[in-house]
Amino acid sequence: IIFTNHCKSKMDNAWFPLKTGDKWIFKQASIQSKISGDTEPKTTLQESKVEFEIIWTKEIGSKEYFVYQSQDGYRKKIIRFEDGNYFINDLRTADQPDREFIFLRNNLSLGESWIHEPSGGNSKIVFTVVKLEKSITINGQNYQDTIEINRDYYNKTGDSYLPKSAISKHIYAKGIGEVYSYIPYPLGGIYADDELQLEKFIPFVK
């Protein structure tokens, strides 16, 4: 594994900039999970700021990955772009290529979907484009050309896949990357629903 601090390749990654030094500042909210059948509004348990930055590139074999890490170092992802597809994996499983999956694609159409089945065949994730917007406002910020993708999670029981009753929501803006995500418990790794709303994107300038 080789670490570098620069971007070597030119890519048509219009939906998610991949350049060392780019930063995203989010408003994060931990929200009380909604019990099935509960009609009461969800309660926000805690709010904070979280900053992500592409801190370096990482070469695994012949592929170049961009390390996308939170300021506290708790969340570490690796992202690569190839043939119009955006792949993501956890830095901790960087040596397991079967753990990476396509989370976004160029030139998607409304209703288009694709499937990721992790190794072992006991689960799957179905990605579906549910909205294409020319303009959208999130957290008081207006974004142009956005795409909303839902991730439906399923577990395999016998020969059938049963939904986990958990769907995460992700919105991307062209030229910026992810501007919103809502990941319900237990998908987010915390004991609550996890919401991120972009407050500021700071592209790296030499």
Side-chain angles (χ1 to χ4, degrees):
I1 297 174
I2 303 170
F3 290 87
T4 61
N5 60 1
H6 62 283
C7 174
K8 298 189 304 181
S9 57
K10 290 184 178 180
M11 301 178 294
D12 183 26
N13 53 316
W15 282 102
F16 204 122
L18 293 171
K19 186 171 60 178
T20 303
D22 284 349
K23 294 182 180 180
W24 295 258
I25 300 173
F26 290 90
K27 173 185 175 183
Q28 180 184 20
S30 297
I31 300 172
Q32 185 176 26
S33 297
K34 198 173 183 69
I35 301 172
S36 179
D38 185 4
T39 58
E40 293 297 320
K42 291 186 177 183
T43 302
T44 298
L45 305 175
Q46 182 180 353
E47 290 186 345
S48 60
K49 304 280 187 185
V50 59
E51 179 180 307
F52 287 85
E53 180 179 357
I54 294 181
I55 56 174
W56 56 59
T57 61
K58 182 175 187 176
E59 291 183 3
I60 304 174
S62 60
K63 295 181 173 64
E64 181 179 51
Y65 291 82
F66 295 80
V67 180
Y68 179 74
Q69 178 175 305
S70 59
Q71 190 175 29
D72 59 8
Y74 178 70
R75 308 184 194 203
K76 298 179 181 180
K77 302 292 184 180
I78 54 173
I79 300 172
R80 70 181 177 92
F81 178 81
E82 183 179 347
D83 296 331
N85 298 313
Y86 303 79
F87 297 81
I88 195 166
N89 197 348
D90 196 285
L91 183 60
R92 293 168 296 182
T93 55
D95 60 343
Q96 301 175 44
D98 60 308
R99 296 289 296 273
E100 78 171 10
F101 57 85
I102 296 171
F103 69 96
L104 182 62
R105 287 174 165 165
N106 284 347
N107 304 316
L108 286 169
S109 302
L110 186 64
E112 190 169 343
S113 65
W114 65 97
I115 297 172
H116 169 65
E117 294 189 49
S119 60
N122 295 319
S123 64
K124 71 177 180 180
I125 308 170
V126 179
F127 300 78
T128 305
V129 179
V130 295
K131 286 183 183 179
L132 294 169
E133 303 277 7
K134 287 294 184 183
S135 178
I136 191 172
T137 299
I138 297 173
N139 194 34
Q141 304 290 325
N142 183 261
Y143 301 102
Q144 305 295 313
D145 295 323
T146 64
I147 185 168
E148 181 177 329
I149 297 174
N150 281 358
R151 301 179 188 178
D152 292 75
Y153 293 78
Y154 295 81
N155 282 332
K156 192 171 185 179
T157 301
D159 295 328
S160 302
Y161 283 100
L162 300 177
K164 282 186 177 179
S165 298
I167 301 174
S168 65
K169 173 181 175 180
H170 304 263
I171 300 176
Y172 305 89
K174 190 168 286 187
I176 296 176
E178 192 166 45
V179 297
Y180 180 88
S181 67
Y182 195 97
I183 304 176
Y185 172 80
L187 301 176
I190 62 174
Y191 292 99
D193 294 356
D194 185 41
E195 181 184 55
L196 291 178
Q197 300 181 74
L198 186 66
E199 290 195 337
K200 191 174 186 181
F201 169 59
I202 308 173
F204 176 75
V205 179
K206 291 184 180 180

